Amino acid sequence: MPGSTLLAPSTAEPTTGPHRPGLVLTALLTCQLMIILDVTVMNVALPRIRDDLGFSATGLSWVMSSYTLVFGGLLLLGGRAGDLLGRRRLLIAGVTVFTVASLAGGFADSPATLVAARIAQGLGAAMAGPSTLALLATSFTDPRARMRALALFSGMASAGFAVGLIAGGLLTEWLSWRSVLFINVPVGALIVVLALLYVPEPARHPARLDLLGAATGSAGIAALVYGFIRAASDGWGDGLTAGSLVAGVVLLATFLLVEARTAEPLLPLRLFADRNRAAAFVNFLLGPMAGMSMFFFLTQYLQDVHGYGALATGVAFLPMALVLFTTTRFIAVLLPRFGPKPLALTGAVLMSTGIALLSRLDVDSAYAAGLLPSMLLMGLGMGLAIAPLNVVVMTSVPPADAGAAGGVLQTMQQAGATLGLAILVTVFGASSRDAAAAGAAPDQVLVAGMTDAFVAGALIAATAVLVALTFRSQRRADPV
């Protein structure tokens, strides 16, 4: 927006910082990490869950999909509900629901019980997630403190995918798959206590909840997410897949019409009026869309081709997680100096290069020479390309829209990860079938499918490069 700056406070809110800011930051960052971890933490435990509870081969996918479906479908509603009902209140309620659901899931004795617990976890995450980001933006009103806090939040959000694989491997190898869920109980309890004692409740903005927008928006996102999840397992020609995708598009079109005509919308379309903010939203979709391919396929590559165990698989991702988190620590210094365009552009190029290098893998590729360079490039690229996006968005929205903006960001992230994985799994399946038909060995079939999926992932990352070019260049007069 003309005259706006990245570091300027969004509106006239109190300029005093929160009481015990370190504990406030600890509570909010821990909440974000717990929510993001549950997207990937159960990946390496899936074989043991299947054997213990008797899941079918296709039913096992719902251990992951049920959480993503509810989380992604209800994020916008959770964001606006926090704006209207109180973000601290919704954060505490959401973490409580998530914690109780984790406890129930840890005691699950049937597939249905575990999937129901994962659905409840998704509900709790959708309640707490947007309020976590909004509270961070409104609690730290000093511009530089806010930028540091948001940069750390971005690092936690991005590194959480890799850390989830590491934590899942450790817990599954040393204890059992149930510990992956039980670990959330003490963590969730700690977050609730810290939030009750130290997290400030910003002023609420009384308004009517946009129920029609909530219904059409949440149902539309849920339908799209379900359609793409089903496409990965049943193919694009499946009737229910096509019906879900069409329904999702129609519902989201209806949602946009409702939001344009509603005085107090669930999703204020003015959030997209600023060019930098709109580009940040789009790349928050594309980054996870491309990056999830690395986690999903390399987990299988390490275990099925090279025989890694759950713990070794998790540790293999540690260098990438360390580079990613370290990079985000410098965002508070780099972003004011260079602005978002050079960081987003450089990061997107590094991401696409890292994924493209993976397309050269074969069954004999060593970890140090074949995988590690790509992981390091991805860690650095994601840190530069994705970590600043939270800062770009959350430092430029008014406090009244902070929850909605946080909901949009996290919706983009979840939808991107789910959509990207569905597309890349479809590419993987088609390529694998062709390799099998040509008489390739099982390991070669697996690698052929993965390398073609990595090519598709690199193309998605290249699209993020094009979007990064649309960021405004920093002018000399800009304080950022």
Side-chain angles (χ1 to χ4, degrees), residues 422-440:
I423 293 172
L424 298 177
V425 166
T426 302
V427 173
F428 168 83
S431 180
S432 297
R433 287 190 292 271
D434 291 343

Side-chain angles (χ1 to χ4, degrees), residues 4 63 85 89 98 126 227-228 242 252 270 284 296 304 313 348 372 386 397 454 462:
S4 66
V63 175
L85 304 177
R89 178 182 301 174
F98 188 95
F228 282 112
L252 287 180
R270 60 183 174 272
F284 219 76
F296 182 79
D304 296 338
T313 299
L372 185 58
I386 299 177
V397 295
F454 287 134

Side-chain angles (χ1 to χ4, degrees), residues 112-183:
T113 306
L114 181 58
V115 170
R118 292 288 282 168
I119 290 172
Q121 279 186 306
L123 174 61
M127 295 168 65
S131 291
T132 302
L133 183 54
L135 282 166
L136 201 69
T138 55
S139 297
F140 294 87
T141 54
D142 175 74
R144 296 198 179 279
R146 177 189 291 163
M147 177 169 285
R148 286 193 296 269
L150 288 171
L152 285 171
F153 182 93
S154 299
M156 200 68 74
S158 300
F161 287 105
V163 174
L165 294 172
I166 298 168
L170 288 170
L171 292 169
T172 302
E173 191 85 10
W174 291 349
L175 299 173
S176 76
W177 68 264
R178 296 180 186 276
S179 64
V180 172
L181 292 162
F182 286 143
I183 194 65

Side-chain angles (χ1 to χ4, degrees), residues 441-452:
D443 283 356
Q444 293 173 328
V445 169
L446 186 66
V447 172
M450 289 180 181
T451 52
D452 283 351

Side-chain angles (χ1 to χ4, degrees), residues 93-406:
V95 172
T96 301
V97 170
F98 188 95
T99 303
V100 172
S102 298
L103 182 64
F107 285 115
D109 57 1
S110 68
T113 306
L114 181 58
V115 170
R118 292 288 282 168
I119 290 172
Q121 279 186 306
L123 174 61
M127 295 168 65
S131 291
T132 302
L133 183 54
L135 282 166
L136 201 69
T138 55
S139 297
F140 294 87
T141 54
D142 175 74
R144 296 198 179 279
R146 177 189 291 163
M147 177 169 285
R148 286 193 296 269
L150 288 171
L152 285 171
F153 182 93
S154 299
M156 200 68 74
S158 300
F161 287 105
V163 174
L165 294 172
I166 298 168
L170 288 170
L171 292 169
T172 302
E173 191 85 10
W174 291 349
L175 299 173
S176 76
W177 68 264
R178 296 180 186 276
S179 64
V180 172
L181 292 162
F182 286 143
I183 194 65
N184 290 328
V185 176
V187 175
L190 174 64
I191 295 168
V192 169
V193 170
L194 290 177
L196 285 169
L197 294 177
Y198 300 109
V199 174
E201 175 70 271
R204 280 190 281 169
H205 305 275
R208 296 177 60 186
L209 187 61
D210 174 19
L211 294 179
L212 182 57
T216 54
S218 298
I221 292 172
L224 278 183
V225 171
Y226 176 80
F228 282 112
I229 290 172
R230 189 172 179 88
S233 59
D234 294 80
W236 297 101
D238 177 72
L240 191 53
T241 296
S244 296
L245 294 175
V246 170
V249 171
V250 172
L251 284 166
L252 287 180
T254 305
F255 168 71
L256 292 176
L257 289 175
V258 170
E259 299 308 278
R261 299 181 179 185
T262 302
E264 297 172 350
L266 180 68
L267 171 61
L269 297 182
R270 60 183 174 272
L271 291 176
F272 296 87
D274 179 74
R275 193 169 84 188
N276 277 6
R277 201 158 57 224
F281 282 135
V282 174
N283 266 1
F284 219 76
L285 175 79
L286 294 173
M289 187 183 292
M292 275 301 290
S293 63
M294 171 174 279
F295 300 115
F296 182 79
F297 291 114
L298 286 187
T299 298
Q300 297 180 66
Y301 178 81
L302 290 169
Q303 293 192 25
D304 296 338
V305 177
H306 287 288
Y308 281 38
L311 175 58
T313 299
V315 172
F317 286 93
L318 184 59
M320 187 182 73
L322 291 175
V323 170
L324 174 56
F325 189 74
T326 301
T327 303
T328 62
R329 297 300 302 269
F330 293 97
I331 294 302
V333 176
L334 296 174
L335 190 55
R337 182 173 180 180
F338 297 105
K341 185 171 185 175
L343 300 185
L345 189 58
T346 303
V349 169
L350 292 173
M351 280 179 56
S352 58
T353 303
I355 299 175
L357 287 176
L358 291 175
S359 67
R360 300 166 62 95
L361 286 179
D362 58 41
V363 294
D364 298 318
S365 296
Y367 173 80
L371 276 73
L372 185 58
S374 294
M375 288 185 170
L376 296 178
L377 285 173
M378 278 291 292
L380 183 59
M382 291 174 68
L384 292 174
I386 299 177
L389 301 182
N390 277 321
V391 183
V392 171
V393 171
M394 298 307 296
T395 56
S396 63
V397 295
D401 293 331

